[in-house]
Structures are given as structure tokens and as C-alpha cells.
Amino acid sequence: MLQAPRTNISAKCSFELMLSLVFALVLFSLGLWSVHAWWWSVAEVLRGFVPLFLILFGTLAIAAGATKARSGSTENNLDSPTGTHPLLLKEDWWAIWLGLAVVGLGIIALFGDSPLLHILSINPGGIKWHAISELFDHFSSNADLYLVQFILLTLMFGGSCHVMGIPFGTFIKGFSLLYLMSIIIFSIGGWANASTFNLEPPLVALVVGLVLANTVQLPSWMNSALRVEYYVKFGIVLLGATFPISLVVSAGPVAIGQATFIAVITCLTIYHVGTRYFGLDRRLAAVISVGGSVCGVSGSMAIAAAVGAKREHLFTSVTLVVVYALIMIIALPFISQALGLAPGVAGAWIGTSEFADAAGFAAASAVGKMAGNEESAIQSFTLMKVIGRDLWIGLWSLIWALVATTIWEERKGTDARIDKREIWRRFPKFVFGFFVASIIVSLITAGADSATFDSHIKPKLIDPISGLRGWAFIFCFLSIGLTTRFRELRSVERGAFSAFSIGVAVNVILGFILSVYVFGDYWAAL
């Protein structure tokens, strides 16, 4: 009686094994036949995965080398305490390397048939769908392209962030969610009636991020992918590829002159009002004066290090920058639209009013799309903010360091000389990438007539780079919103808030006068 069940079980197992073997042989045979019948398609798929594997292993090799360098000796490294060469540890340099690599892919696509840049830039923002079924059809027909795009973007940003010290696995989790949210935002922007309700992707990304950050407890691993500065620097390098160098040469002096005039007046106003009327610490006043006149967070960090400011001084300045940046992202586009400003004029005004590059790009992009000429608004903003203001971070750092060490501090028996290398250390390196990309593309496209440009250069080079730039900026705007906590803004002291607010008023009013009345015809012509 005990053997019967065993016999039944054994027979059942033998039958299932035989069935599995037969099924496996059928599938194997069908697979071999399919490979033979559709060999061309199989070969194309295999060939398509070759560059992906090369990129993957190349990224892993860089990461392995950087990890080894970080764990090795630091005696031959003058700039990095971790032992890794600074060219592999700074977001500025990675933005240049990746941006110029993308420009290289664009050149290959221009003279060959490589679809890689097109895959990197695809998004649903331009399909102008009326029914949700049209959106689903777009994703179903391009699912393979979006999968490859996600893999490539993850390798690009995740691999470089890993070299800079962020665990690759943690980054993938955060970036996956960031990518999915960006897809949804692009889809909203691709709605045919989106412009009627001002549902521009930059503004939608910012609002969605703010709502989620202040209503939902986000997982800590999400922070690894919220690289605000990195995404905007990468986007600026790509912007250079769509920015004629001739425009930089012709408009640069005007932008630098206007930006310098406003920055000096705003900086001195904030510092004087803060120390004279609100009794602020001189270091705090210096930090918020540059944060409110030159380059927001980056400027605040540079000056805080230059004058030896306290940690709470830097936090105060960054908080004020974020608050007013968010206000002006929403306010300036709608005010510009209400006043009927030309896109170029509005972009220049935003460039002199906004403190943060990322926030300014969001505002300029929004006002440009509202007016139907996004490129004009972005170009004038870039000339004013990136070329006119950001370039002075290093010089401002040196000036304030000189003031702090020779006037504020009494150093008896010590060397109070200023390290002239401070200018280079504080200089925004990604600006080099902007200029190099602009020069390369300008040289390659020089001599092309308008017909050739519109039919060949624009669809194969300019449009894909602009599309990828759009991805970088949406990542950036989402990251701004997702890292802003309103509850953290309460700790700013009233005096600092008041001094900064006065500086904002001076900045915005002067910027409006110069952009609209003094140089209005110039900016409108862009």
C-alpha cells in the first residue's frame, strides 16, 4: 500500500519530464528555423546591441579606474582629496565630455545614417495628440526606441555619477522614476491644447515636483538622481551646439556690459542695505549679495568659501535664491506675456532678473513657447545669464576673498596673500563646453544654404540635439521641484530676507529698463 503512491508519483514525474523535453525540442527547432528564416533581422538586432555593450563596458571600465584611484594614494593630486583626478570628479567636466560626445554623434548622423542621436532625443512632446489613443499609438510604435533611450541615458548619467561617488544601483532606482515622470510631463506638453492652458513642460515639471516634494514622503534613494546642476550644465553645453558662434561674438559685449552694470549695482545694494540697515554679518551680506546678483546657488557657494562664511550663511542664501527663483519662474513669463514683450526681450529681462541658470531656462523656455519662438527667448537669456553673468563667479570670489583677508581679518605674522588660482577654481568650466560646441557646429555648417540647412542639417543635427537638451532641462526642472521643501524656508532671518528682497527689486527693475527701453530693439531682433 505504501509503494502504489510512489509508483503513481514516479509515473507522473516521468510524463511531465517527457512533456517538457518534447516542448523544449519544439521551441528549440522553431528557434533555429526562425534564425535561418529571419537571419537579417537577427543580425541587425545583434549589431544594434554591440555599441550598447561597448558603452556599458566602457562605463564600467571608467568606474573601476576611478574607484581604484579613489582608494589609492593622493600624494600626486593637488586638487582632489580623494585621489581621483578632478577632471573625473566635477560635474562641469562631465557635462563637457558628455555634451561634446553628443555633438560628435550628431556629426556622425549628419554625414552618415546613425540613428543613435535620434533615439536619444525622442519624446512625445511634439506629437500634438487630440485623443489619448494617439498617445498610446506613439508609445507602442516606438517602445523599442524609448527602451534604448532609457538604457543610454542611464549609462551616461549613472556611469558618470558613479565615478563622482554616487552608487550606480541607487542612481538607477532614482533615475528610473525621474525618467518615467519626465515621459508623463512630455506627454502633457504634447497635448494639442496644452498651450491654451499654458501647460508648458518646464512649468509642469516644476509644479509637479513641488507638489510631490511637499505632500509625499519621497524615498531617500530618489535624491541620488536629482542632480539639478549637472543636468542644466549638460543642457547648456548642448545649447552651444544650436547657438551660432557669430551671435555670441556680436551680442556678447552687449550682454556682458548690461549684465555687469546690473550685477555690480545689485551686489552693492544688497551688501550696503544688509550691513547698514539690518545689521547683518558682513560674510552673510557678501554671500547673499553675490547669490542675488551673479549666479544663485553656485555664486553663494563660491563666495561662502572665499570669505569663510558659516554654514548657516550659505543655507540662508541658497534658501532665498530658491524662493525667489520659484516665484520668478511663474511670474516673469506671465508678466512678459501680459506686457506683450518680444521673446528676445523677455529672455534678456529674465536673464538679468533670475539668479539660477536652471530656473531661468525654465522661465525663458516657457515665455518663448507662449510667444511661439522659444529659441529667441533662450538665446537672449543665455547671452545675458550664462555669458554675461556666470563668467564673473571667479572674479567675484577673488575680490571678496581679498576684502575678507585684507580688511575684515587681522592677520599678524601670517601671509594674507590671495591665491590667484582661485579664479580658475571658481570659474564655471562648463561654459568652455558651450563655446566649443558652438564653434564646432558653426564650422561644420558654415557655407550651407538655407535649403540645405532646413532639409538636411536641421533634422539630422540641430533638432535631435535640441530634443536631448529638452530632456536634460526637464530632468533639471523636476529635480528643482523635488528638492524644494517649503518647511525649510522658515528659518531665514528677517533682515537677510529684507535685504535680499530689496536687491531683487533693484535687479528686476533695472533689468526691465535696460532690456526693454535701452537695448529693446537689439534683443527683439534676435
Side-chain angles (χ1 to χ4, degrees), residues 190-252:
W191 180 36
N193 298 318
S195 58
T196 304
F197 299 95
N198 291 319
L199 295 176
E200 306 299 342
L203 295 181
V204 174
L206 180 66
V207 172
V208 169
L210 287 172
V211 170
L212 291 176
N214 292 278
T215 58
V216 179
Q217 182 65 39
L218 297 174
S220 58
W221 45 259
M222 186 69 188
N223 294 328
S224 63
L226 305 180
R227 320 306 302 176
V228 176
E229 294 289 327
Y230 190 17
Y231 297 136
V232 74
K233 291 171 182 177
F234 174 69
I236 289 174
V237 174
L238 294 185
L239 179 63
T242 63
F243 212 99
I245 192 62
S246 58
L247 181 60
V248 176
V249 174
S250 62

Side-chain angles (χ1 to χ4, degrees), residues 364-434:
S365 175
V367 74
K369 288 184 176 180
M370 290 177 183
N373 191 349
E374 183 184 13
E375 284 302 313
S376 179
I378 288 181
Q379 284 182 351
S380 59
F381 168 82
T382 303
L383 287 167
M384 185 59 60
K385 182 66 175 69
V386 178
I387 297 175
R389 295 170 68 184
D390 290 0
L391 293 179
W392 297 103
I393 295 178
L395 182 60
W396 280 109
S397 299
L398 184 65
I399 291 173
W400 279 112
L402 181 64
V403 171
T405 55
T406 59
I407 299 177
W408 297 347
E409 301 174 5
E410 295 182 3
R411 295 191 175 187
K412 297 180 180 180
T414 60
D415 186 3
R417 290 178 299 176
I418 305 301
D419 186 357
K420 295 180 180 180
R421 292 178 297 177
E422 187 71 17
I423 293 180
W424 172 249
R425 282 196 290 266
R426 302 300 179 189
F427 188 86
K429 316 296 190 306
F430 67 91
V431 176
F432 287 128
F434 172 90

Side-chain angles (χ1 to χ4, degrees), residues 166-417:
I166 300 172
F168 188 67
T170 306
F171 180 88
I172 289 178
K173 292 193 294 184
F175 187 75
S176 299
L177 185 55
L178 187 69
Y179 179 84
L180 179 61
M181 294 171 64
S182 300
I183 284 282
I184 296 173
I185 289 168
F186 271 123
S187 299
I188 295 173
W191 180 36
N193 298 318
S195 58
T196 304
F197 299 95
N198 291 319
L199 295 176
E200 306 299 342
L203 295 181
V204 174
L206 180 66
V207 172
V208 169
L210 287 172
V211 170
L212 291 176
N214 292 278
T215 58
V216 179
Q217 182 65 39
L218 297 174
S220 58
W221 45 259
M222 186 69 188
N223 294 328
S224 63
L226 305 180
R227 320 306 302 176
V228 176
E229 294 289 327
Y230 190 17
Y231 297 136
V232 74
K233 291 171 182 177
F234 174 69
I236 289 174
V237 174
L238 294 185
L239 179 63
T242 63
F243 212 99
I245 192 62
S246 58
L247 181 60
V248 176
V249 174
S250 62
V254 175
I256 292 175
Q258 178 177 331
T260 302
F261 177 75
I262 296 176
V264 170
I265 292 179
T266 303
C267 180
L268 295 179
T269 298
I270 295 176
Y271 181 80
H272 177 73
V273 170
T275 54
R276 181 73 179 271
Y277 297 103
F278 296 106
L280 298 182
D281 182 282
R282 290 177 296 189
R283 288 169 175 76
L284 172 59
V287 173
I288 65 173
S289 68
V290 176
S293 62
V294 181
C295 189
V297 175
S298 299
S300 300
M301 295 175 64
I303 302 306
V307 302
K310 298 179 181 179
R311 183 177 181 181
E312 52 266 30
H313 293 166
L314 177 59
F315 176 80
T316 296
S317 183
V318 171
T319 301
L320 290 170
V321 167
V322 170
V323 169
Y324 274 105
L326 294 176
I327 292 173
M328 287 192 283
I329 285 178
I330 304 297
L332 292 182
F334 289 102
I335 294 174
S336 299
Q337 186 183 40
L339 295 175
L341 299 182
V345 174
W349 182 34
I350 292 170
T352 54
S353 302
E354 270 285 12
F355 323 114
D357 289 336
F361 271 109
S365 175
V367 74
K369 288 184 176 180
M370 290 177 183
N373 191 349
E374 183 184 13
E375 284 302 313
S376 179
I378 288 181
Q379 284 182 351
S380 59
F381 168 82
T382 303
L383 287 167
M384 185 59 60
K385 182 66 175 69
V386 178
I387 297 175
R389 295 170 68 184
D390 290 0
L391 293 179
W392 297 103
I393 295 178
L395 182 60
W396 280 109
S397 299
L398 184 65
I399 291 173
W400 279 112
L402 181 64
V403 171
T405 55
T406 59
I407 299 177
W408 297 347
E409 301 174 5
E410 295 182 3
R411 295 191 175 187
K412 297 180 180 180
T414 60
D415 186 3
R417 290 178 299 176

Side-chain angles (χ1 to χ4, degrees), residues 91-109 117 120 156-157 230 233-242 429-442 444 461 465 468:
E91 290 180 346
D92 287 52
W93 291 115
W94 274 109
I96 293 175
W97 310 143
L98 293 182
L100 295 182
V102 168
V103 173
L105 287 176
I107 295 172
I108 293 173
L117 186 57
L120 277 171
M156 284 170 53
F157 292 119
Y230 190 17
K233 291 171 182 177
F234 174 69
I236 289 174
V237 174
L238 294 185
L239 179 63
T242 63
K429 316 296 190 306
F430 67 91
V431 176
F432 287 128
F434 172 90
F435 282 112
V436 172
S438 178
I439 292 171
I440 291 174
V441 175
S442 296
I444 289 176
L461 179 63
I465 290 179
L468 181 55

